[in-house]
Amino acid sequence: MGISMNILLQQKAPIYEALVKHKSNRVVPFDVPGHKGGRGNKELTDFLGENCLKVDVNSMKPLDNLCHPTSVIREAEQIAADAFGAEAALFIVNGTTASVQGMIMSVCKAGDKIIMPRNVHRSAINALVVCGAIPIYVNPGVNRDLGIPLGMSLEDVKQAITEHPEAKAILVNNPTYYGICSDLRGIVDFAHEHNVKVLVDEAHGTHFYFGDNMPVSAMEAGADMAAVSMHKTGGSLTQSSFLLCGEGVNPHHVRQVVNLTQTTSGSYLLLVSLDLARKNLSLHGRELFKKTVEYAEYARDEINKLGDFYAFGSELVDYDAVFDFDPTKLSVHTRKMGLAGIEVYDLLRDEYGIQIEFGDISNFLAIISAGDRALEIERLIASLSEIKRLYGKEDVTGMFDHEYIDPDVVLPPQIAFYSDKKALPIKKTVGEICGEFVMCYPPGIPILAPGERITDEIVNYILYAKDKGCLLTGTEDMAVNNINVVNL
């Protein structure tokens, strides 16, 4: 762990302490929210608990204001910055989507170019739709055996920056959903030599800051900003996130940009969860993530003994498009047994009562944490053994072998999204320019984004994913039978 934090400071939790004091003061509430500490909605209070409803409060002087923090939230942000080794940390309650968009929109305006891999989360391309920046895509490496996109090769990044010296920033996914890491230090060093900001979507990398022997974190690598999805692997409530700022970034400007889209009614349930999760990781992160890695490594070894399933790991590292691997990720390839990842996902949920993070056409991902129990890890392994025995197939012909398709970008996302459009049946869209998003969720990485040419391969992929049971989202047509295309 490369961060030297002030342990005495990390024992504090200013938002939590302020809420405890607020509860003890028994203040009479003539403000919002209207449930008045839960008294106005008994069923909700019975479900969530009185303690929860009593601290679901609005901004007030003793509790500070998320849009312009000057007291307890400000102090909590300063302590978080110390924990993550950042110059500043902003509490985000609109999800890491808001963190990613805040990063992009604080350094890019309409017409500015930003370099990014195409396998970004939809939030990044959404930011381009809103602010009008122009994407310069670097195709990630692709492992055809596993059917997954990898990280960005440093050489490809250097080429993109050299060819587009006017680019304002580069966005890096680190790690990817599957645990693949790029050469973050190399990218930061080269980008900074060319006055390009480095923004890191670190949604799945909270543990990089607190665990031992982890891949390098964004702040340690010298990145300018990072979006950290604290709720994914850090223990806070869903939708809570940190936006970290490094040296040379004006956090007050970043906050102004975030305030364009983030709620003015920040949830104190989310805020206090960030405060306490940060405290927990600062004080106990080493042992928590040591246990997480032990669980993941054990599961990986046992699943690989089953045959046909392949739980991949650090053996993929080639110090290029796979510069490092996140050891907490349990990513499992399923195609060799004749099942798509989403089919295994469905079987685990429907037949064995096990909920994993997601499945795609070739793999599934199970999120492992110290909150798991050894018995549950064994149950997952045993269920996979049963699935292989009962549902495995020898014939894998006709299965898609990859999920990443190089895009043909014809129009900037903003122009395509706001253009006149017409709806066409999916099979009749080949050759057209897409005017909306099409993606499987999770993970929320677009198959198609606004402004991209629709090809036979893309249509076949969409129909295949739909047939296999993937949840397709992004289209105006809720049944996903039609796609809106640009009406030229």
Side-chain angles (χ1 to χ4, degrees):
M1 190 165 65
I3 298 169
S4 178
M5 65 181 75
N6 183 334
I7 295 300
L8 285 176
L9 186 65
Q10 293 304 318
Q11 291 174 352
K12 299 185 66 177
I15 298 172
Y16 166 72
E17 292 157 14
L19 285 172
V20 169
K21 184 177 180 181
H22 170 76
K23 278 179 63 180
S24 67
N25 285 342
R26 298 170 66 101
V27 174
V28 178
F30 285 107
D31 62 348
V32 297
H35 61 66
K36 304 292 176 140
R39 295 195 305 268
N41 190 335
K42 185 180 184 303
E43 188 172 14
L44 181 64
T45 305
D46 290 344
F47 182 63
L48 294 180
E50 187 177 318
N51 281 334
C52 177
L53 272 293
K54 281 188 177 298
V55 294
D56 180 38
V57 293
N58 194 32
S59 295
M60 59 187 76
K61 281 190 176 181
L63 297 179
D64 209 353
N65 187 299
L66 182 60
C67 293
H68 192 91
T70 57
S71 59
V72 294
I73 295 177
R74 177 69 179 144
E75 184 183 3
E77 289 184 337
Q78 291 169 335
I79 296 172
D82 176 74
F84 284 91
E87 291 297 307
L90 279 65
F91 278 53
I92 303 293
V93 297
N94 276 29
T96 304
T97 287
S99 297
V100 170
Q101 293 173 349
M103 291 194 303
I104 293 172
M105 292 165 61
S106 64
V107 298
C108 295
K109 59 182 183 300
D112 287 344
K113 291 181 179 178
I114 178 169
I115 298 165
M116 60 174 65
R118 176 53 182 77
N119 61 322
V120 290
H121 188 263
R122 69 170 293 175
S123 58
I125 303 178
N126 282 349
L128 308 185
V129 169
V130 174
C131 76
I134 309 297
I136 304 298
Y137 289 126
V138 174
N139 285 326
V142 175
N143 184 313
R144 291 283 174 173
D145 291 333
L146 299 178
I148 64 170
L150 306 173
M152 287 190 291
S153 161
L154 179 57
E155 291 308 310
D156 288 345
V157 169
K158 287 181 176 180
Q159 181 179 342
I161 291 175
T162 302
E163 291 177 356
H164 301 277
E166 71 281 14
K168 299 293 185 183
I170 178 168
L171 178 73
V172 186
N173 291 336
N174 208 73
T176 68
Y177 233 119
Y178 298 102
I180 307 297
C181 299
S182 300
D183 181 2
L184 201 51
R185 280 198 174 98
I187 291 171
V188 168
D189 289 346
F190 189 83
H192 284 175
E193 287 172 11
H194 293 77
N195 297 313
V196 174
K197 297 285 189 186
V198 179
L199 317 176
V200 183
D201 181 349
E202 213 166 22
H204 291 269
T206 303
H207 44 290
F208 289 4
Y209 292 89
F210 302 99
D212 288 323
N213 303 313
M214 294 287 177
V216 67
S217 68
M219 290 296 104
E220 192 177 355
D224 297 281
M225 283 186 273
V228 180
S229 197
M230 195 70 165
H231 71 90
K232 286 187 171 67
T233 59
S236 65
L237 291 179
T238 296
Q239 200 176 309
S240 58
S241 175
F242 281 120
L243 201 174
L244 307 179
C245 300
E247 293 181 6
V249 173
N250 180 352
H252 305 300
H253 170 65
V254 175
R255 193 185 305 279
Q256 280 189 322
V257 173
V258 168
N259 283 346
L260 293 174
T261 55
Q262 180 159 255
T263 177
T264 56
S265 303
S267 166
Y268 277 85
L269 299 177
L270 299 182
L271 293 173
V272 75
S273 80
L274 282 170
D275 202 20
L276 290 176
R278 181 272 314 153
K279 177 182 177 182
N280 184 45
L281 293 187
S282 297
L283 302 180
H284 308 294
R286 273 193 170 94
E287 54 264 39
L288 287 172
F289 292 123
K290 181 176 183 290
K291 184 177 179 183
T292 301
V293 171
E294 289 171 353
Y295 276 157
E297 294 287 11
Y298 173 77
R300 225 184 321 273
D301 290 345
E302 292 301 309
I303 289 170
N304 285 333
K305 291 176 184 176
L306 299 177
D308 292 339
F309 287 113
Y310 173 34
F312 48 91
S314 58
E315 70 279 359
L316 297 181
V317 171
D318 59 8
Y319 302 105
D320 187 33
V322 187
F323 191 80
D324 207 344
F325 185 82
D326 175 4
T328 71
K329 291 291 186 294
L330 184 59
S331 307
V332 182
H333 186 64
T334 64
R335 201 172 61 239
K336 288 183 179 178
M337 58 173 293
L339 292 176
I342 186 63
E343 291 176 311
V344 176
Y345 171 103
D346 288 337
L347 286 168
L348 284 170
R349 178 68 181 84
D350 297 340
E351 302 298 329
Y352 298 91
I354 294 174
Q355 181 64 59
I356 57 175
E357 176 66 9
F358 82 94
D360 58 28
I361 61 173
S362 299
N363 308 274
F364 71 79
L365 172 68
I367 296 292
I368 306 296
S369 85
D372 289 313
R373 294 175 292 188
L375 184 65
E376 293 165 338
I377 301 291
E378 296 290 359
R379 181 174 167 184
L380 172 63
I381 296 164
S383 298
L384 291 175
S385 177
E386 280 290 287
I387 287 173
K388 178 192 172 186
R389 182 176 68 85
L390 296 174
Y391 302 98
K393 307 169 190 174
E394 293 185 5
D395 183 11
V396 298
T397 57
M399 297 190 71
F400 247 78
D401 68 351
H402 63 285
E403 69 160 33
Y404 178 75
I405 300 172
D406 294 349
D408 177 13
V409 181
V410 183
L411 293 174
Q414 186 183 63
I415 290 176
F417 187 83
Y418 287 111
S419 67
D420 289 333
K421 289 172 279 195
K422 60 184 177 183
L424 292 178
I426 291 176
K427 290 183 179 180
K428 294 186 177 181
T429 61
V430 175
E432 302 284 349
I433 302 170
C434 189
E436 58 186 358
F437 291 93
V438 184
M439 71 201 88
C440 296
Y441 188 85
I445 297 168
I447 302 167
L448 275 171
E452 295 176 359
R453 181 81 66 188
I454 303 172
T455 64
D456 277 316
E457 185 181 18
I458 290 170
V459 166
N460 289 336
Y461 178 96
I462 292 171
L463 294 174
Y464 182 86
K466 192 176 179 182
D467 179 65
K468 289 295 183 182
C470 292
L471 175 62
L472 290 170
T473 69
T475 52
E476 187 177 304
D477 176 9
M478 298 298 288
V480 200
N481 293 321
N482 300 291
I483 296 175
N484 281 343
V485 300
V486 175
N487 192 11
L488 296 174

